[in-house]
Amino acid sequence: MGGGSGNSSTLYRVIMSTDITLVSRQLFALVDVNNFYVSCERAFNPHLINRPVVVLSNNDGCAVARSNEVKALGVKMGMPWFQLKDLVRQHGIIALSSNYTLYGDMSDRVMTILRDFSPYVEVYSIDECFLGLQGLGKLWPTATDMGQSIRNRIYQWTSLPVCVGFGATKTLAKLANHIAKKQPEFNGVCDLAMMPSSQLDALLSAIEVGEVWGVGRRISQHLHAAGIHTVKTLRIRQPLGCVPDSA
DNA sequence: ATGGGTCCT
DNA sequence: AGGACCC
């Protein structure tokens, strides 16, 4: 589900691409399957729907996918089995070994559907895909309509639930996807590119910097030390710490 | 007692 | 090789 890195150039990229004052006419979508491995298992075993389900890594060593019910019980991403098994017993969690053949096949189906929406697809991980949407014309009245169309089609053809985020950069599209996933009132689709700045500010001030793509524990710590806690502040305080090493 | 990647230093 | 980040 993806790679990453942590360093000063990452910070530079993150901060620059979070700065919506660098307005371009570019538009990206990020489509992401919710709880991907669990959703794949549910697509073929309806008994798993509405139950707490966790999918384990290769040697059943740790949790790599969690249903919402399991997240609510406090199971963390990457949690090792020895910490997990008590919770599994106490709460009747269903723990499954991973089936990568199935997930790869489902991933291919999703990506094939997405190629009908844009010729510019970047498969970022087994369950995530960026779409470049610049200059594609107006097949949908708004990006949000397109996002709902993507959701509906993928659900109808694969029974997998996805969320869709739109933004002027990949980082913003990813953040939009995050919002679409966390805030049910968005109905699984969030477009940050067409959002009034007052609403954008309200949203971004409620999101911790650590939620931004590429900002992990280490960079969060540095940002906190600089008094930057929310994505709204990260945007405003953009000049801080953004000088690349070569400058 | 822990998975599998990528990218950077 | 080890660190940081991603699912």
Side-chain angles (χ1 to χ4, degrees), chain A residues 24-46:
Chain A
S24 71
R25 281 159 301 284
Q26 185 58 275
L27 181 66
F28 294 98
L30 178 68
V31 183
D32 183 318
V33 183
N34 305 342
N35 313 330
F36 180 54
Y37 297 168
V38 168
S39 296
C40 289
E41 298 290 345
R42 281 175 170 171
F44 291 91
N45 184 355

Side-chain angles (χ1 to χ4, degrees), chain A residues 4-230:
Chain A
S5 64
N7 49 61
S8 56
S9 58
T10 300
L11 181 54
Y12 181 68
R13 173 183 63 75
V14 162
I15 289 175
M16 293 305 282
S17 56
T18 312
D19 178 8
I20 60 141
T21 63
L22 299 172
V23 173
S24 71
R25 281 159 301 284
Q26 185 58 275
L27 181 66
F28 294 98
L30 178 68
V31 183
D32 183 318
V33 183
N34 305 342
N35 313 330
F36 180 54
Y37 297 168
V38 168
S39 296
C40 289
E41 298 290 345
R42 281 175 170 171
F44 291 91
N45 184 355
H47 292 122
L48 302 174
I49 295 170
N50 295 325
R51 304 275 326 264
V53 179
V54 63
V55 175
L56 304 172
S57 63
N58 259 351
N59 291 336
D60 293 343
C62 68
V64 288
R66 303 160 294 152
S67 72
N68 292 343
E69 296 80 5
V70 154
K71 288 175 186 174
L73 291 171
V75 174
K76 302 297 182 198
M77 185 62 173
M79 187 180 267
W81 173 249
F82 74 91
Q83 288 175 8
L84 208 58
K85 60 181 178 184
D86 293 329
L87 287 169
V88 167
R89 193 165 20 81
Q90 287 164 23
H91 298 104
I93 293 171
I94 300 168
L96 303 173
S97 296
S98 42
N99 177 353
Y100 288 103
T101 309
L102 171 64
Y103 311 148
D105 183 78
M106 296 298 275
S107 177
D108 289 342
R109 297 190 206 191
V110 170
M111 302 309 170
T112 298
I113 293 168
L114 290 176
R115 278 184 260 271
D116 284 343
F117 287 86
S118 167
Y120 308 112
V121 305
E122 179 189 340
V123 178
Y124 171 67
S125 75
I126 194 167
D127 76 322
E128 282 177 72
C129 185
F130 288 102
L131 305 181
L133 299 172
Q134 184 186 29
L136 289 186
K138 285 222 147 206
L139 289 174
W140 287 267
T142 66
T144 302
D145 291 305
M146 183 191 192
Q148 289 299 344
S149 181
I150 290 172
R151 260 166 73 77
N152 292 336
R153 194 179 300 179
I154 291 179
Y155 187 73
Q156 282 169 0
W157 294 7
T158 70
S159 77
L160 293 174
V162 305
C163 287
V164 186
F166 295 93
T169 67
K170 292 180 184 177
T171 301
L172 284 165
K174 228 173 181 303
L175 197 63
N177 187 286
H178 175 261
I179 292 166
K181 222 179 285 183
K182 293 245 166 162
Q183 306 197 20
E185 58 272 27
F186 281 89
N187 294 314
V189 178
C190 174
D191 180 7
L192 289 181
M194 287 300 291
M195 190 168 284
S197 62
S198 58
Q199 194 189 347
L200 189 61
D201 276 355
L203 274 178
L204 298 189
S205 64
I207 302 176
E208 301 269 328
V209 288
E211 304 296 329
V212 175
W213 185 27
V215 178
R217 285 235 322 253
R218 178 100 178 163
I219 290 175
S220 279
Q221 201 179 317
H222 279 113
L223 290 171
H224 273 75
I228 300 172
H229 299 89
T230 71

